[in-house]
Amino acid sequence: MSLLIEKRKMVTGLKSSLGQILLLAAASEVFARVAPFFMQKVIYVAIISADRKPYTS
């Protein structure tokens, strides 16, 4: 049991590394959920700007 405690003390920066991983995972999740809405907005703006009435003579 004391060997496990000694090995645990040898690992430094574990909490900060796990914190960074969780932060990056959360940021990636937010981006993955929001990106389709931005793409939809861009497509709608492109369709509206390209919508021209046909010329009549």
Side-chain angles (χ1 to χ4, degrees):
M1 184 68 173
S2 64
L3 182 62
L4 288 174
I5 293 172
E6 288 176 20
K7 285 194 179 238
R8 185 174 175 193
K9 288 181 180 179
M10 289 174 46
V11 178
T12 58
L14 183 63
K15 288 183 183 179
S16 64
S17 296
L18 288 176
Q20 286 180 349
I21 290 171
L22 290 175
L23 184 66
L24 288 172
S28 175
E29 183 72 24
V30 168
F31 178 75
R33 296 212 181 240
V34 173
F37 294 109
F38 286 123
M39 183 64 73
Q40 183 179 14
K41 177 73 174 172
V42 167
I43 290 172
Y44 283 164
V45 168
I47 289 173
I48 290 171
S49 68
D51 186 24
R52 296 185 179 97
K53 296 190 187 273
Y55 292 110
T56 57
S57 43

